[in-house]
Amino acid sequence: MTDLLTPLFGGVALLADPVLWALVLIGTVFGVIVGAMPGLGTTLAYGMVLPFTFVMSPVNGVAFLLAISVGSQYGNSIPAILMGVPGSPAAVLTVIDGQKLHKRGQSGLALGVAFVAALGGQLASIPMFVLLVVPLMGLAYSFLYPEIFALYFLGMIALVSLTGRNVVKGLVAAAFGVTIALIGLDPINLTSRLDFGFREIRSGFDEVAVVIGLLAVSELFRSARQVFQWGDVTGEAKAARFPSWKAIRPSLPAMFGGTIVGTIVGAIPGAGATPAAMVSYQQAQLFSKHPEEFGNGSIEGIAANEAAQNASNSGELIPTLGLGIPGSGSMVLLLAALNVQGFVPGPNMVNAAPELLYASIAGLLAATIFLLLTGWRMATLMLKAVMLDRQVVLALSLAVVVLGTYAINTRILDVFVALVFGGIGYVMLRYGYSTAAAALAVFLGGEFERNLRIGLNFHDNDFFAMISRPITATILAAALAIFAYGLYRQLRNRRNKDEAPDQSISSPG
Amino acid sequence: MDRRLDLIVALAFAAFGAFVCLQASTIDTGVMRDGVGPRAFFYGTGALIAAGGLWIAARRLRLWTVSGPEADDDYSDDEAGYPASAGRAFAIIGLSLAYAVLFNPLGYLFATPLYVGGVLFAFGKRSLLHLLVTPLLYTASSYLIFAQFLNVRLPVGPLTGLFRDLGWIIL
């Protein structure tokens, strides 16, 4: 208990510093703006402001960067709900349910649930982060390739329910994503695979560029099919009332589940907010009393997605601070900022400098409090954005996506990759191949194979020995249990639909 | 939805899957051997894509013979009551690829207004405000923010020498 309370009190004590508050304020607003702009994500935002952190104290620098993460994960949901344009790939599932509610005139409900879920997910994940980071430092050497393989296997299970209405098309999309993820160097022999002699893709495609293409660019291309104004479709949504507690309450279990899943998935190196949101959406659908509402304006879907995205901020910090292993691109930059300040990333970093842990808590906490006070106002201000010319917003969004993708590595190849996968994603969207499944597979596929093969090598290619390690076996059993339960729920739902043919949703052939 | 196009997409996926399987057989197996090997995952995903594509295509053909080329399932999510144009979407995809091609040789400051103006033109905008003022304002403001304030190195094409002389870019 002392292990938990000391960092929490340490973090709260730092909130007495007005400079920290000022930086958190700037960071959160900057994060919300960057998050709301298509193609610009947390990693890019970190890259933009990194040089400024060199002149800050380490505590203020960490708090400032984490405030950007909190703002960014909330900001991406606002244009997703109001305009159907995901601020970042992680918000693509918010588009599906949020836009449906917005079109039904329930913008306040969609924005309100997203707001409460983002705050709730962020706040609840902070004690989870503290609870996990301290023991994880002790577990650093028992969480090896087989255990990480098991975690990726858990993520792969989520692919099944992201397949959409046509399961075969969804599986084809997922296999396509895995194939794209595998292109590049073989993880064991480092020989090139399917690069066709192109030096530029010898190490594979940039995952972020592929996912931006599949999720964000494809959606913009699809939106370009039609010319109309948002106001014509949704009416003049100049004001939205904050939903009542009664309206929000049904989404609380999904929010809670999203927080847990977001923190855990966020903690897996290489995962981050997008897989966290997708896996959480799947779990919420699995355990929902109304799974048929998912994709048709489900507040549980929005809640799970938003809570998971913000919770993943805390999750990503677990391996970053606990083990010195950055969980995502933005965490690489956080460690880079700390490195410049003289800290040595590794399992002993937090033991040597506990103030970094306190600063993380202070940054996450202060940004959440600041969002609590201003987040709803920001969302309602954005309501006026639906009065903007839709076609101009789409054209500028495309230009910003190109600029943002280029800025990640200042490489034009990434722009080509995002645009080509945007075109492929557009065709997939049009003909019912789930881009969400493909994108999640891109994130998981490479690491799934790598951890499986290196794990097998560790056990002389004895698969049973590998999966019977205690932690690995526990995670795999949990994954299989979730899969079996999901299958049972799907069969039960199908049987219920068959028994009530009037309400059935036709399954495409 | 037009079953013919759905059939073409399914067959394209099937062909891609077969291609992946074929290419996988050419991957160098390397010196270090493991239980899975560098080809196995490609064989697995390639086979799944090929089989899935063929299954969808066969099902489409069967339904086509029963009820004609139009299927009642629609994945487009288009807004009802507004005409949709695949041609416009593909024109914008083409413009975007052209923008990427011209990004380095023309430079950001010349390629971007052309691109934004082109996309707005494809959307049917014809006013000076949309075709000239908006693209120029966006280009200037985004360049200032990204290149000058945030130090993102954006190519300036033929202006490189001038900007270097003025000290606006270092490399």
Side-chain angles (χ1 to χ4, degrees):
Chain A
M1 197 64 184
T2 320
D3 279 350
L4 172 66
L5 289 180
T6 310
L8 277 179
F9 285 140
V12 172
L14 287 177
L15 296 180
D17 181 2
V19 178
L20 184 136
W21 273 101
L23 289 169
V24 164
L25 187 150
I26 297 167
T28 312
V29 173
F30 179 66
V32 171
I33 294 169
V34 170
M37 295 170 86
L40 306 188
T42 314
T43 307
L44 187 66
Y46 271 33
M48 288 173 178
V49 300
L50 198 66
F52 299 107
T53 63
F54 299 158
V55 292
M56 298 174 192
S57 72
V59 166
N60 287 344
V62 168
F64 174 62
L65 289 175
L66 291 177
I68 292 174
S69 295
V70 175
S72 166
Q73 302 299 2
Y74 170 62
N76 65 16
S77 66
I78 303 172
I81 291 168
L82 298 178
M83 299 169 182
V85 178
S88 71
V92 78
L93 294 172
T94 305
V95 170
I96 299 170
D97 288 301
Q99 261 273 297
K100 291 259 164 57
L101 286 173
H102 177 57
K103 284 177 186 169
R104 279 187 223 148
Q106 293 177 292
S107 318
L109 180 61
L111 288 170
V113 168
F115 175 65
V116 173
L119 289 179
Q122 191 61 71
L123 208 58
S125 66
I126 295 171
M128 280 183 70
F129 154 61
V130 180
L131 269 174
L132 289 170
V133 74
V134 177
L136 193 71
M137 288 186 286
L139 272 176
Y141 300 105
S142 28
F143 229 74
L144 301 175
Y145 292 100
E147 285 73 22
I148 297 178
F149 156 74
L151 287 173
Y152 276 95
F153 182 79
L154 184 65
M156 285 291 203
I157 293 291
L159 282 174
V160 178
S161 68
L162 285 174
T163 51
R165 284 184 284 170
N166 188 321
V167 177
V168 179
K169 285 185 174 180
L171 289 176
V172 168
F176 173 72
V178 173
T179 308
I180 299 305
L182 297 177
I183 292 173
L185 294 176
D186 175 56
I188 304 286
N189 287 293
L190 298 180
T191 51
S192 60
R193 300 191 296 180
L194 267 68
D195 66 356
F196 305 107
F198 290 105
R199 187 169 47 87
E200 293 82 358
I201 57 167
R202 191 162 294 164
S203 304
F205 294 111
D206 186 291
E207 278 177 9
V208 178
V210 175
V211 172
I212 285 176
L214 282 173
L215 295 182
V217 180
S218 63
E219 188 58 38
L220 290 169
F221 287 156
R222 193 196 60 75
S223 302
R225 288 165 54 80
Q226 290 182 293
V227 173
F228 60 87
Q229 297 303 337
W230 284 303
D232 299 339
V233 180
T234 57
E236 291 198 9
K238 283 178 183 166
R241 280 174 53 193
F242 194 80
S244 65
W245 174 243
K246 198 178 160 192
I248 294 176
R249 204 165 49 192
S251 67
L252 290 183
M255 225 177 273
F256 181 68
T259 306
I260 295 174
V261 172
T263 312
I264 293 169
V265 176
I268 302 171
T274 307
M278 289 177 175
V279 174
S280 162
Y281 188 88
Q282 178 250 353
Q283 298 302 322
Q285 188 175 17
L286 198 63
F287 293 102
S288 169
K289 286 177 184 162
H290 304 285
E292 72 284 355
E293 285 179 6
F294 281 69
N296 294 306
S298 163
I299 56 167
E300 291 173 89
I302 298 174
N305 201 358
E306 291 302 316
Q309 283 183 53
N310 273 77
S312 75
N313 287 329
S314 307
E316 285 176 11
L317 283 171
I318 295 169
T320 309
L321 294 182
L323 307 175
I325 301 168
S328 66
S330 55
M331 290 299 110
V332 173
L333 294 174
L334 179 82
L335 282 187
L338 293 174
N339 218 347
V340 169
Q341 303 261 12
F343 295 95
V344 181
N348 287 321
M349 187 168 69
V350 171
N351 279 334
E355 67 270 21
L356 295 179
L357 188 57
Y358 307 160
S360 307
I361 293 164
L364 294 173
L365 212 54
T368 311
I369 294 168
F370 181 68
L371 263 192
L372 176 70
L373 299 175
T374 60
W376 178 249
R377 181 76 189 127
M378 290 189 218
T380 50
L381 277 176
M382 280 285 285
L383 270 173
K384 293 189 175 65
V386 298
M387 305 313 288
L388 294 172
D389 188 313
R390 175 179 176 271
Q391 281 62 248
V392 173
V393 172
L394 288 179
L396 295 184
S397 296
L398 272 169
V400 173
V401 168
V402 169
L403 180 55
T405 310
Y406 178 80
I408 297 170
N409 299 312
T410 54
R411 224 172 35 158
I412 198 67
L413 175 72
D414 294 337
V415 175
F416 274 110
V417 168
L419 292 174
V420 168
F421 280 96
I424 294 170
Y426 165 72
V427 175
M428 290 171 73
L429 282 176
R430 287 282 296 133
Y431 295 98
Y433 296 84
S434 168
T435 50
L440 185 60
V442 168
F443 266 120
L444 302 180
E447 286 299 309
F448 179 77
E449 187 211 22
R450 181 169 164 268
N451 286 290
L452 169 66
R453 291 178 60 195
I454 299 178
L456 275 173
N457 266 357
F458 273 15
H459 293 86
D460 293 329
N461 292 319
D462 185 343
F463 187 68
F464 184 75
M466 183 180 122
I467 62 165
S468 57
R469 290 162 64 97
I471 300 174
T472 311
T474 310
I475 300 169
L476 288 176
L480 289 174
I482 290 169
F483 180 68
Y485 182 69
L487 214 59
Y488 161 73
R489 286 289 298 253
Q490 274 193 355
L491 289 173
R492 201 179 64 177
N493 288 339
R494 191 166 291 179
R495 202 171 51 220
N496 290 345
K497 275 180 198 166
D498 290 343
E499 283 168 8
D502 294 346
Q503 294 161 14
S504 70
I505 301 164
S506 63
S507 176
Chain B
M1 181 177 61
D2 191 330
R3 284 198 175 114
R4 285 167 294 195
L5 292 174
D6 192 34
L7 179 68
I8 292 169
V9 173
L11 289 174
F13 268 112
F16 175 75
F19 176 73
V20 169
C21 287
L22 275 176
Q23 285 299 316
S25 62
T26 66
I27 293 171
D28 183 0
T29 48
V31 182
M32 286 277 291
R33 298 297 163 98
D34 62 283
V36 178
R39 297 174 177 177
F41 269 76
F42 284 105
Y43 282 135
T45 56
L48 182 57
I49 296 169
L54 286 175
W55 189 86
I56 297 161
R59 197 169 160 78
R60 276 289 169 237
L61 278 173
R62 193 173 64 80
L63 290 171
W64 190 348
T65 53
V66 174
S67 57
E70 279 297 319
D72 53 2
D73 50 334
D74 186 18
Y75 298 98
S76 65
D77 276 340
D78 284 336
E79 209 58 59
Y82 297 93
S85 161
R88 188 188 305 112
F90 281 109
I92 289 172
I93 293 173
L95 277 170
S96 304
L97 289 170
Y99 176 45
V101 171
L102 295 173
F103 199 82
N104 273 329
L106 264 190
Y108 183 77
L109 293 172
F110 290 121
T112 305
L114 286 176
Y115 173 63
V116 175
V119 172
L120 287 172
F121 187 84
F123 275 128
K125 302 288 182 193
R126 296 291 181 270
S127 70
L128 213 61
L129 172 77
H130 288 118
L131 298 184
L132 203 67
V133 179
T134 307
L136 287 177
L137 267 179
Y138 166 75
T139 306
S141 55
S142 58
Y143 182 79
L144 277 176
I145 294 170
F146 278 80
Q148 299 302 320
F149 180 61
L150 298 168
N151 290 321
V152 175
R153 211 166 56 199
L154 291 172
V156 285
L159 298 177
T160 308
L162 176 69
F163 277 32
R164 200 174 283 151
D165 292 342
L166 290 168
W168 291 356
I169 53 175
I170 298 164
L171 292 170

